[in-house]
């Protein structure tokens, strides 16, 4: 059951909000000990009590899980870091505020790689999340807690954040739907900054229509975010029906390299066949700059992270070590407060921005980023949408990607569109080795309507 159906059945009187909350908590009791999707949880009695006042609103008081780098009143916002272990924001993020205004309640906060840096949720200071389909495997990341909560039946929908793939890749690995909106469509106000030119909040759900519903509620201009686009809210549910007859789908040859193996390649062939059965046309295209997306992303994202994370100095927030001088105190706090991966990014980013290297690394990465955007724009002169796998493999085992580059490669297909600021969605595309495998669709800027319509059509035939 998705949120849409839950909402309709509550309105019809099939069951009450209280019964829905009980059934979510029954799943939490049954699965959470193993899955560990949540870092904090609401009191279900309180949710039931407050829910009664919300019965007339769009979301009927239904609880929604929120990634723990999105600010919420009444819960800590830890970012999966020791640094913020006891940090409680005094305001709600705009996305949360808008969902609450529509009658949602915060169900709890979900686990993530520290400061959203990672692809497996192994790098949380509070322990890993496990994949509900196989506890030996990672749920993906960094929004692994959000995707696992939805996949385990512990939540109907969750918010995640996607800087380079963190909504789409865990959705793919957990068999959920995950949407990254156009950069600037959803406000970043209240999302703890990792890489500000890339960060976007997006929904992780059980169905495409739930993504459309949540996006309709959270999208739209917010004066508190200087990069928020001047667009009006829109009802994306209206876009879903209509199908893909006559639409042209580009399959970039760089997104289906031989190395993916015969099982994945034959699944991609099946997707092409289904698109054609629905009246669409599949054409091979080429995005030759794809191979530069990974180095460009890791230079830009790390550079921005090194600036954003400078605010964690041990004077404010929670971790605070002592030292003889201010400099030593800050260094000691950071040594204690940040995990290995976060330190790696800060060092890489500081290096890329330092005098003498700035132009060679950061400046060059910015120029290549512009070219990647241009390459997509040219492709969209030819095709309506682009598709391919969300991630090169299904869920991998814990500890399997010790080498950071091996880990970074799991985002190889989600990084280019993030750099270009484009909307993209991952939907369940079938199974590989018995595990969920995601199909990614990418659209031109602000074409979420088209993106969701194609995803909706494909969802019907893939189910
Ligand atoms: N896995 C990528 C990284 O480690 C993307 C993370 C994200 O989108 N937040 O940076």
């Amino acid at each position: 059951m998705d949120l849409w159906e839950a909402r309709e059945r509550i309105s019809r009187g099939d069951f009450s909000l209280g019964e829905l909350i009980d059934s979510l908590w029954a799943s939490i009791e049954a699965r959470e000990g193993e899955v560990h999707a949540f870092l904090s949880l609401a009191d279900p009695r309180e949710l039931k009590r407050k829910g009664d006042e919300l019965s007339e609103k769009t979301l009927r008081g239904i609880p929604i899980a929120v990634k723990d780098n999105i600010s919420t009143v009444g819960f800590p916002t830890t970012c999966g870091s020791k640094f913020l272990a006891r940090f409680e924001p005094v305001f709600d993020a705009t996305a949360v505020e808008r969902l609450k205004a529509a009658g949602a309640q915060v169900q709890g906060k979900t686990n993530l790689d520290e400061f959203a840096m990672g692809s497996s949720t192994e790098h949380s200071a509070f322990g890993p999340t496990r994949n509900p389909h196989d506890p030996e495997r990672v749920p993906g990341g960094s929004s692994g807690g959000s995707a696992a909560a939805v996949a385990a039946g512990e939540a109907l929908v969750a918010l995640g954040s996607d800087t380079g793939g963190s909504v789409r890749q865990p959705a793919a690995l957990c068999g959920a739907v995950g949407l990254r909106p156009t950069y600037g469509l959803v406000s970043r106000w209240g999302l703890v900054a990792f890489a500000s030119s890339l960060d976007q909040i997006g929904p992780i759900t059980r169905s495409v229509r739930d993504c459309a519903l949540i996006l309709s509620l959270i999208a739209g201009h917010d004066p508190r975010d200087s990069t928020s686009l001047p667009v009006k809210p829109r009802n994306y549910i209206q876009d879903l029906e209509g199908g893909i007859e006559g639409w042209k789908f580009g399959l970039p040859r760089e997104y289906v390299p031989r190395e993916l193996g015969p099982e994945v390649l034959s699944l991609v062939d099946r997707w092409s066949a289904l698109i054609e059965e629905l009246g669409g046309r599949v054409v091979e295209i080429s995005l030759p700059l794809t191979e530069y997306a990974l180095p460009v992303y890791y230079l830009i994202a790390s550079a921005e992270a090194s600036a954003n994370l400078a605010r964690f100095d041990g004077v404010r927030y929670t971790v605070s070590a002592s030292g003889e001088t201010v400099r030593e105190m800050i260094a000691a706090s950071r040594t204690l407060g940040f995990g290995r991966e976060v330190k790696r990014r800060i060092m890489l980013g500081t290096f890329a921005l330092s005098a003498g290297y700035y132009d060679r690394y950061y400046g060059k990465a910015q120029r290549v980023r512009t070219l990647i955007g241009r390459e997509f724009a040219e492709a969209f002169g030819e095709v309506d949408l682009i598709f391919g796998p969300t991630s090169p493999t299904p869920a991998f085992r814990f500890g399997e990607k010790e080498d950071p580059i091996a880990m970074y490669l799991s985002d190889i297909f989600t990084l280019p569109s993030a750099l270009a600021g484009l909307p993209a969605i991952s939907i369940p595309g079938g199974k590989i080795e018995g595990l969920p495998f995601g199909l990614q669709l990418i659209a031109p800027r602000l074409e979420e309507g088209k993106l969701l319509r194609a995803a909706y059509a494909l969802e019907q035939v893939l189910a």
Side-chain angles (χ1 to χ4, degrees), residues 120-448:
S120 67
T121 320
E122 286 169 292
H123 302 295
S124 163
F126 308 111
T129 296
R130 295 180 177 276
N131 192 311
H133 296 270
D134 177 355
E136 303 291 303
R137 292 173 192 266
V138 305
S142 62
S143 314
S146 288
V150 169
E154 297 180 25
L156 287 173
V157 311
L159 290 182
S161 69
D162 190 307
T163 302
S166 279
V167 160
R168 294 164 285 162
Q169 185 260 17
L173 271 47
C174 288
V177 180
L179 170 73
R180 175 194 167 88
T182 300
Y183 181 79
L185 183 60
V186 174
S187 170
R188 291 184 296 110
W189 169 261
L191 169 65
V192 179
F194 160 13
S196 309
S197 76
L198 292 152
D199 299 339
Q200 268 295 285
I201 291 176
I204 298 182
T205 65
R206 295 200 191 146
S207 66
V208 172
R209 64 182 179 183
D210 276 1
C211 260
L213 174 63
I214 299 296
L215 184 68
S216 306
L217 298 171
I218 63 177
H221 184 67
D222 178 9
R224 291 174 296 190
D225 170 1
S226 63
T227 58
S228 170
L229 294 171
V231 291
K232 289 209 178 63
R234 174 192 167 99
N235 182 356
Y236 295 97
I237 292 290
Q238 287 170 356
D239 293 303
L240 295 178
E241 305 281 349
I244 56 166
E245 177 100 52
W247 289 12
K248 229 162 143 189
F249 288 72
L251 177 59
R253 79 172 72 92
E254 294 78 8
Y255 288 16
V256 279
R258 293 273 124 225
E259 294 89 323
L260 292 182
E263 230 191 314
V264 171
L265 296 176
S266 75
L267 192 56
V268 176
D269 284 343
R270 178 164 175 248
W271 298 341
S272 299
L274 287 172
I275 289 170
E276 306 223 319
E277 272 169 40
L278 291 168
R281 241 177 77 211
V282 174
V283 293
E284 191 187 275
I285 60 169
S286 178
L287 298 170
L289 294 174
T290 300
E291 64 168 305
Y292 300 108
L294 193 130
V296 166
Y297 170 85
Y298 278 94
L299 286 167
I300 292 174
S302 305
E304 293 182 16
S306 73
N308 277 326
L309 270 57
R311 73 190 56 160
F312 301 108
D313 53 12
V315 178
R316 296 157 295 179
Y317 311 108
T318 57
V319 166
S320 183
S322 48
E324 290 286 308
T325 62
V326 171
R327 187 182 266 273
E328 278 173 31
M329 186 275 287
I330 292 176
S333 301
R334 289 178 176 164
T335 302
L336 205 69
F338 289 136
R340 268 174 66 108
E341 183 60 26
V342 174
K343 286 177 184 154
R344 187 188 341 267
R345 307 280 180 111
I346 293 172
M347 285 192 278
L348 176 63
T350 308
F351 180 77
L353 289 174
S354 54
Y357 294 108
Y358 182 93
D359 199 54
R360 199 151 120 208
Y361 295 114
Y362 183 73
K364 192 161 190 179
Q366 289 290 20
R367 290 193 290 276
V368 179
R369 181 182 189 176
T370 303
L371 295 178
I372 290 172
R374 229 177 263 169
E375 184 170 273
F376 273 110
E378 273 165 32
F380 284 124
E382 214 185 302
V383 299
D384 295 285
L385 295 167
I386 290 171
F387 76 105
T390 307
S391 189
T393 64
F396 44 91
R397 292 198 158 75
F398 286 95
E400 194 179 314
K401 298 190 194 291
E402 291 279 349
D403 169 26
I405 304 284
M407 184 71 82
Y408 299 170
L409 280 168
S410 65
D411 298 314
I412 187 95
F413 302 138
T414 52
L415 296 175
S417 46
L419 286 165
L422 303 174
I425 193 168
S426 179
I427 63 171
K431 296 263 164 104
I432 295 288
E433 299 161 27
L435 293 160
F437 193 78
L439 184 175
Q440 179 177 225
L441 291 159
I442 305 170
R445 253 168 62 89
L446 294 174
E447 293 281 8
E448 274 79 1

